[in-house]
Amino acid sequence: MLKLDLSKTLGMVSDEELQNLKPMAELALSNLTEKKGAGSEFTGWTRLPEDYDKEEYERILKASEKIKSNSDALVVIGIGGSYLGAKAAVEMLTHSFLNSVKHTHRPGCEIYFLGQNMSSDYLHDFLEAIEGKDISVNVISKSGTTTEPAIAFRIMKKYMEDKYGREKARERIFATTDEHKGALKTLADGEGYETFVVPDDIGGRYSVLTAVGLLPMACAGIDIDEVMDGAGKAMEEYLNADFSSNDCMKYAAARNILTRKGKDIEILVSYEPSLVYFAEWWKQLYGESEGKGGKGIFPASVNFSTDLHSMGQFIQDGKRNLFETVLSVEKARRDFRIEEDEKNLDGLNFLKGMTMNEINRNAMKGTLIAHNDGGVPNIIIETDEINPENFGRLVYFFELACGISAYILGVNPFDQPGVEDYKKNMFALLGKPGYEELRKELTEKLK
Ligand code: PA5
């Protein structure tokens, strides 16, 4: 279940203003579903929960069973949209200490992520962490040419071949990439790896419900049927409901109303550490989809109550150019009751009999009021609990709202022209053939 609550937006999102944006939100939604807007060739995700390759889905489940039976750990190699969704799901839906807890506390493998940075320290630490473990590798890259995962895979391919021999290594390597083209596709076909497809009409940051996210999730023991079911329910609801009862369109409209009033920073707030990477996924989705052409709402995130002790001061009292979107989770998966202490030296006996979740919920309520009093509008998205179905719902809700919001803002949500600039410079500085002129230019600038 998901529910939008706009009652704590300090009157900055009135019914009248929402009604004024209704035609734009409706047009944005129909442009997405009827493929009439900018970047419409990348809107395959709008129907994905019902329109996906069922044969491939079965292969994902089969591959995950094989990996779980012959591997202690799955190494997921990817960056951006080719890793954040899987990482968000694994963090949200499995044990908080997945890779160190006894295997009886987890239904799947340990999961490690690689290729999402270029740190040699991280690489060395990772290689030590997997010492003595049987592993499988899932290398994920839609383009098949992204530098970070390509370097990591070059290293892991050799590692796997040294450890298992070339024949057996290829049984443990799975590639998720474009159906036809790219260096990874060529390499995977040449080596005979099992491959999964990132569909042509789905871009990286919208791909978590394809094999990109589903294979790592299934290996971690997450019920992917439930994930898809939740996304399907959200799709039914948000593609069909009228504006007045469509929380997805209303969320997209509300954040546009707020940014028009100078609220240029949206902070996604959560109260569960397991949601930290969901917020990272959300930041990429909104940042890369909306931040272009001098436009966009800057997506930030905090995890309370931890960050109340670091960022709380700014949110309460700093520059008033921000709003919060609170992900409110009603129930804890496992609660913990506070007991009475005879001496009460810490003075905490007033909490006796309460659960940790009750305390956490009251921290949330108190913070909401405080931040409202400090002039920060809060959008609230309520959900009953953290589970695979709600993960699927949240993914679909935020993807669709992002597409609608970007169209209202007047940008193409499906390209990322700004990401190319650093790559060109990096290639030039590293001496990649074809970048000689730029290298000279940059060498001058670096003097
Ligand atoms: O959303 C996007 O398109 C990007 O974040 C990509 O996912 C990211 O750059 C990785 O690209 P690729 O999957 O081609 O390696």
Side-chain angles (χ1 to χ4, degrees):
M1 151 327 243
L2 284 191
K3 202 168 155 300
L4 180 76
D5 176 0
L6 296 175
S7 66
K8 300 285 185 293
T9 50
L10 300 174
M12 287 189 211
V13 182
S14 67
D15 283 346
E16 195 190 340
E17 286 165 307
L18 281 172
Q19 282 306 315
N20 288 341
L21 269 190
K22 178 180 170 211
M24 282 183 88
E26 285 175 343
L27 180 66
L29 178 60
S30 74
N31 279 344
L32 281 171
T33 54
E34 289 166 29
K35 299 185 184 300
K36 288 188 191 151
S40 62
E41 64 276 30
F42 294 111
T43 49
W45 53 272
T46 57
R47 293 267 170 210
L48 184 66
E50 65 179 13
D51 186 10
Y52 60 90
D53 182 340
K54 312 285 183 306
E55 184 272 327
E56 180 179 75
Y57 188 85
E58 289 307 315
R59 278 200 303 116
I60 290 171
L61 288 170
K62 227 170 131 193
S64 74
E65 288 308 321
K66 178 176 163 190
I67 293 167
K68 284 190 284 181
S69 71
N70 72 6
S71 306
D72 303 307
L74 175 72
V75 181
V76 179
I77 299 178
I79 196 167
S82 288
Y83 114 95
L84 278 167
K87 174 87 174 163
V90 169
E91 294 277 309
M92 183 166 169
L93 301 170
T94 70
H95 200 284
S96 301
F97 303 94
L98 182 75
N99 290 351
S100 49
V101 80
K102 274 197 245 153
H103 69 86
T104 43
H105 290 307
R106 53 178 157 80
C109 310
E110 297 169 24
I111 308 285
Y112 294 86
F113 291 90
L114 199 64
Q116 81 281 36
N117 60 53
M118 295 197 248
S119 161
S120 55
D121 283 343
Y122 182 91
L123 179 67
H124 277 293
D125 291 348
F126 158 78
L127 290 169
E128 282 170 9
I130 58 162
E131 255 170 34
K133 294 183 196 290
D134 270 316
I135 61 169
S136 291
V137 171
N138 181 197
V139 52
I140 308 172
S141 176
K142 179 170 178 167
S143 63
T145 55
T146 308
T147 312
E148 292 89 338
I151 294 173
F153 185 58
R154 175 181 278 218
I155 293 162
M156 285 312 291
K157 181 174 182 294
K158 175 155 190 321
Y159 177 97
M160 296 296 279
E161 289 173 357
D162 290 348
K163 184 174 167 99
Y164 295 107
R166 199 162 166 205
E167 278 304 309
K168 292 221 169 75
R170 66 167 61 114
E171 293 297 310
R172 289 174 174 272
I173 297 176
F174 301 82
T176 306
T177 188
D178 187 275
E179 191 171 4
H180 307 288
K181 56 181 191 306
L184 179 58
K185 175 68 182 158
T186 312
L187 194 160
D189 286 349
E191 293 287 347
Y193 304 149
E194 179 161 10
T195 58
F196 298 95
V197 170
V198 193
D200 287 348
D201 58 357
I202 299 180
R205 58 192 173 275
Y206 295 82
S207 71
V208 51
L209 301 178
T210 70
V212 170
L214 294 178
L215 180 57
M217 279 188 235
C219 291
I222 295 166
D223 188 332
I224 61 171
D225 288 350
E226 284 182 26
V227 170
M228 292 304 275
D229 189 47
K233 285 178 178 151
M235 181 186 78
E236 275 305 309
E237 183 176 346
Y238 303 128
L239 291 190
N240 297 313
D242 289 340
F243 182 81
S244 60
S245 54
N246 193 321
D247 281 350
C248 189
M249 271 200 264
K250 281 202 207 164
Y251 167 62
R255 56 198 299 286
N256 274 273
I257 291 167
L258 288 167
T259 191
R260 288 172 191 193
K261 294 182 178 178
K263 307 295 178 191
D264 286 332
I265 298 169
E266 179 176 12
I267 306 176
L268 193 74
V269 179
S270 58
Y271 283 78
E272 289 293 336
S274 64
L275 294 176
V276 166
Y277 263 90
F278 187 79
E280 294 301 314
W281 170 82
W282 173 89
K283 284 195 286 196
Q284 188 213 355
L285 180 66
Y286 280 77
E288 218 164 52
S289 298
E290 289 192 322
K292 52 198 72 162
K295 295 181 183 173
I297 302 170
F298 185 81
S301 65
V302 287
N303 190 246
F304 290 161
S305 65
T306 310
D307 293 335
L308 283 171
H309 299 262
S310 55
M311 298 302 289
Q313 169 62 34
F314 193 108
I315 298 171
Q316 185 68 44
D317 207 21
K319 195 169 176 188
R320 304 295 71 187
N321 58 349
L322 43 91
F323 66 98
E324 289 172 291
T325 294
V326 181
L327 269 184
S328 161
V329 182
E330 197 188 322
K331 286 181 269 173
R333 272 186 300 197
R334 296 189 284 176
D335 219 334
F336 193 95
R337 204 169 284 282
I338 308 294
E339 291 177 6
E340 184 170 21
D341 181 272
E342 208 184 306
K343 293 201 179 119
N344 194 29
L345 292 176
D346 54 12
L348 287 178
N349 270 353
F350 72 98
L351 296 174
K352 101 176 164 209
M354 274 190 214
T355 67
M356 288 287 284
N357 194 47
E358 278 175 84
I359 299 169
N360 204 14
R361 298 289 290 166
N362 279 292
M364 186 192 89
K365 287 176 197 161
T367 306
L368 255 168
I369 296 169
H371 289 183
N372 263 191
D373 288 347
V376 182
N378 270 245
I379 295 174
I380 304 165
I381 296 170
E382 287 169 8
T383 185
D384 48 353
E385 61 182 12
I386 290 175
N387 59 35
E389 182 180 323
N390 281 336
F391 176 80
R393 279 181 200 267
L394 282 164
V395 163
Y396 193 86
F397 173 90
F398 280 120
E399 285 182 352
L400 190 65
C402 185
I404 296 169
S405 183
Y407 278 172
I408 294 177
L409 204 62
V411 298
N412 176 353
F414 308 115
D415 64 0
Q416 51 283 327
V419 181
E420 295 312 310
D421 293 353
Y422 99 89
K423 287 187 194 166
K424 276 188 260 161
N425 290 352
M426 178 180 75
F427 290 147
L429 292 171
L430 288 170
K432 188 171 179 177
Y435 289 81
E436 293 76 9
E437 278 310 305
L438 183 57
R439 185 180 163 84
K440 277 186 214 151
E441 220 181 278
L442 294 179
T443 313
E444 277 306 304
K445 283 188 184 168
L446 284 171
K447 271 185 188 160

